[in-house]
Structure formats: structure tokens, C-alpha cells
Amino acid sequence: MKSVLSVQSHVVHGYVGGRAATFPLQYLGWDVDNINTVNFSNHTGYGFVRGSAIEASNMTALFHGLVDIKCKYDATISGYIPSAELIDIMSTNVQSLKTNKPSTIYVCDPVMGDQGQLYVSEDCVEAYRRLLHEGQVDIITPNHFELELLSGCKIINETDLKIATDYLHKTCKIKHIVITSLGDEFKLGAKSHSDTIYCAVSSSDDSSLQYFRIPVIKSYFTGVGDLFTALLLDKFYNNPKNIMVAVNQVLTIMADVLKLTLKLGKEEYREYKKIHTLENEDILEGKMNDADSMRFFELRVIQAREFYNYTGEGQFEPVSS
């Protein structure tokens, strides 16, 4: 059986971090071991959380325990890691895991922030840069803002994006860079679409950037990047020679998951609010810092399981400038 070590956040309620990644990977045939970087009651979309982060000494002890019982993995994924000290521990142990089994794939989601806002302390940025420069990352999945932080480049257009991705390919030896979302300020050629999110893919063996245009679904979802990264690991593992197909498969699955989440969320929210007329449809969405709506729009990770086995070419056509 395929095995993966997942190092990311844990919430008691909801589907972000490991809770968004573990079931889909298990459903797809992966044996998943988890190190929880935080243990929270819920995700931050509710406006408040209870719980705590793992202590550095405990994280180190868990890694050492895995070594003691001779655990080896086909892959490692990492997501939200809340401090520079913990990121450095992750870096050290990824190197150890890859030394013990060089074929181990490391997929890194450098969760630091979005839309110009940091979720972590500034020293985490430098810690991630140190991790990347160790040359152990096979695939990285930053969003627009995170790529700017890692590369030190402001990204407004294709030229900027090429400079940023080339930097990570050349200096950090990262084979595949998947930018999960490019913000509103990014222009592909002369085009800018407020109703569109661009996903971009760059590989070290291909000098060109490839893009997918994804229609925006109006609602606030959390855990999307965590589920994306988990599914990308599986699809890339099955398509190691074709990252574009793997990404397209994941985008296709994610579109179905989000549509289902929105549909079921609206139905349950309408019932909760006792809304029976369609004229109020526009208010039926998950909203940041609004626990009253957010709980209805948690990712439907379980209900969406039938989508995860998708093996087609993908529904999104690559686009150019």
C-alpha cells in the first residue's frame, strides 16, 4: 500500500489541514500517518479558535519515534506549520526521510497567508526559504502571495511570474511549481477577469508557464488548498511524467467538490434560516468570521468521495496569453 506522512494542522470540527487531506487519500488507497502541527477546535474562518500548537520538543520526539520504528514513506506532504522553529524541524526530518528512501516525494504547501495578509509570523518566511534551499521539495503549491514571499518578487504579469518560478527552479531545485491561485491584480497578457481565478504550472524541464482559467464560485471556503495538495499528490503519483494532467484532474475534482459543498450548504442554511424564496439566494454563502453561516459551508469531504477517483484528462483547457 502507498504510504504518506502528512504534517499539517488538525481541527476537531470541520475540514481543513489534515482533516481535509486524510480521508480523500485513504479513499484513494494511501496509508496516512499524521503529525498535527496544531490541535484546534475549528478553523479560523469562524472568527475564533480554541486549542494550541505542538511544542517543538514534541514534534521532534514524534519524528524520532518514527525513525525508531523504521518508518519509510512513499510521500510526505506538509501544510500549515505555525512557527519558524517547527518549519526548521520539518526541514531537517524531510532530509532524513529522503536519505532513508530517496524516492520519497515531498509536496510542500507553504501556508503563510493570502491576498497580502500573513497568517504566520514573519520569521516563518525565512524558515520556508531555508527549507526550500535544502533542495528536497519536489512539488510546491503556493498561492500568489506566498510565491511573492518565497521568491522576493512582486508578481503582476507573466514576466514577473516567470522570474519568480525560474528563481525557485534554479536556486531550490524544485521540479514542479503549481501556483494554486493568482490574484485579481495578475494580468494574463492584457486580460484581467474578476470572475476568474488563474492556476499556473511551471516545471523545470519546460521553459513555458501553463495556465488554467477557473470560474469563481461565490462563497468563502476553507481547506481548499489542503484538499488540492492532497489530491495533487495522488494524481501526480499516478502521472509522474505529466504534471499538467495531474493538475487538471485535481482542478476538475475540486470544481465538483465546491459545487456540491455550495449546493448542500445552501439547502441546509436555507432550512436553518427558514428561507423559502429564491430572492434571498444571494445571501446563502459562507462568510469569513461569520460562524452562523460558516458551519454550513465546510467542505463536503465525505459526501464528495465519488469524485476522487477521477482519472480523465480534466475539464479545463490550458490557456495562453
Side-chain angles (χ1 to χ4, degrees):
M1 179 178 283
K2 302 170 291 186
S3 61
V4 57
L5 176 63
S6 171
V7 183
Q8 49 191 317
S9 63
H10 172 77
V11 292
V12 177
H13 175 78
Y15 291 94
V16 299
R19 287 264 291 172
T22 299
F23 174 76
L25 286 171
Q26 289 174 328
Y27 188 79
L28 290 166
W30 289 83
D31 188 10
V32 184
D33 286 355
N34 292 294
I35 292 179
N36 300 328
T37 59
V38 301
N39 189 29
F40 286 162
S41 56
N42 51 271
H43 62 68
T44 56
Y46 287 83
F48 56 87
V49 297
R50 300 288 185 268
S52 60
I54 191 173
E55 296 287 340
S57 59
N58 289 340
M59 187 171 179
T60 298
L62 292 177
F63 274 113
H64 286 175
L66 295 175
V67 171
D68 290 342
I69 59 174
K70 299 180 171 57
C71 285
K72 294 184 180 181
Y73 298 97
D74 295 301
T76 300
I77 58 174
S78 64
Y80 179 70
I81 304 176
S83 74
E85 186 176 15
L86 294 176
I87 294 168
D88 287 338
I89 293 169
M90 179 71 202
S91 178
T92 298
N93 286 280
V94 165
Q95 293 177 59
S96 177
L97 288 169
K98 285 208 150 199
T99 298
N100 292 334
K101 188 173 182 179
S103 62
T104 298
I105 299 169
Y106 177 31
V107 183
C108 175
D109 183 6
V111 181
M112 293 183 288
D114 198 6
Q115 298 180 339
Q117 179 183 355
L118 273 173
Y119 303 152
V120 294
S121 60
E122 291 189 9
D123 59 354
C124 287
V125 179
E126 285 303 320
Y128 268 116
R129 288 174 179 168
R130 289 193 295 271
L131 184 155
L132 298 186
H133 277 84
E134 293 296 335
Q136 303 295 332
V137 176
D138 298 289
I139 305 174
I140 191 168
T141 59
N143 60 33
H144 187 155
F145 178 56
E146 289 161 347
L147 182 59
E148 289 183 332
L149 292 173
L150 295 172
S151 65
C153 303
K154 181 66 177 173
I155 300 170
I156 301 295
N157 53 41
E158 293 176 89
T159 299
D160 299 334
L161 186 59
K162 188 72 166 60
I163 291 170
T165 54
D166 281 353
Y167 170 79
L168 293 187
H169 285 313
K170 293 173 182 176
T171 64
C172 303
K173 311 302 180 188
I174 301 172
K175 186 169 180 60
H176 301 295
I177 303 168
V178 181
I179 303 94
T180 55
S181 60
L182 288 159
D184 293 342
E185 68 271 29
F186 180 79
K187 289 183 171 57
L188 184 57
K191 306 165 192 170
S192 180
H193 303 271
S194 60
D195 59 347
T196 294
I197 295 174
Y198 286 107
C199 171
V201 181
S202 177
S203 295
S204 57
D205 54 5
D206 185 348
S207 60
S208 64
L209 279 159
Q210 302 290 323
Y211 300 88
F212 293 102
R213 183 181 296 134
I214 316 300
V216 171
I217 297 176
K218 187 183 178 184
S219 188
Y220 182 84
F221 301 107
T222 57
V224 175
D226 307 315
L227 179 57
F228 181 99
T229 300
L231 292 172
L232 182 59
L233 165 61
D234 179 75
K235 300 310 177 185
F236 177 76
Y237 189 86
N238 296 321
N239 291 282
K241 302 294 185 183
N242 199 330
I243 186 70
M244 286 294 289
V245 168
V247 171
N248 205 342
Q249 289 174 341
V250 174
L251 291 173
T252 300
I253 296 168
M254 292 301 304
D256 288 337
V257 172
L258 294 182
K259 288 174 186 175
L260 179 64
T261 296
L262 190 61
K263 175 180 179 293
L264 296 180
K266 284 185 175 183
E267 290 173 359
E268 293 178 12
Y269 195 26
R270 185 183 295 117
E271 180 68 21
Y272 170 72
K273 289 287 191 179
K274 302 190 183 314
I275 296 171
H276 303 293
T277 58
L278 291 178
E279 63 190 66
N280 294 305
E281 184 79 6
D282 60 333
I283 69 169
L284 301 178
E285 61 184 66
K287 296 178 181 178
M288 181 68 170
N289 297 328
D290 178 12
D292 198 40
S293 70
M294 185 58 65
R295 61 195 178 96
F296 294 99
F297 295 92
E298 292 281 359
L299 291 180
R300 301 305 171 111
V301 167
I302 308 299
Q303 297 94 323
R305 59 191 178 275
E306 65 185 68
F307 302 135
Y308 304 147
N309 281 320
Y310 179 75
T311 57
E313 292 296 310
Q315 71 179 37
F316 295 98
E317 290 291 329
V319 297
S320 57
S321 58

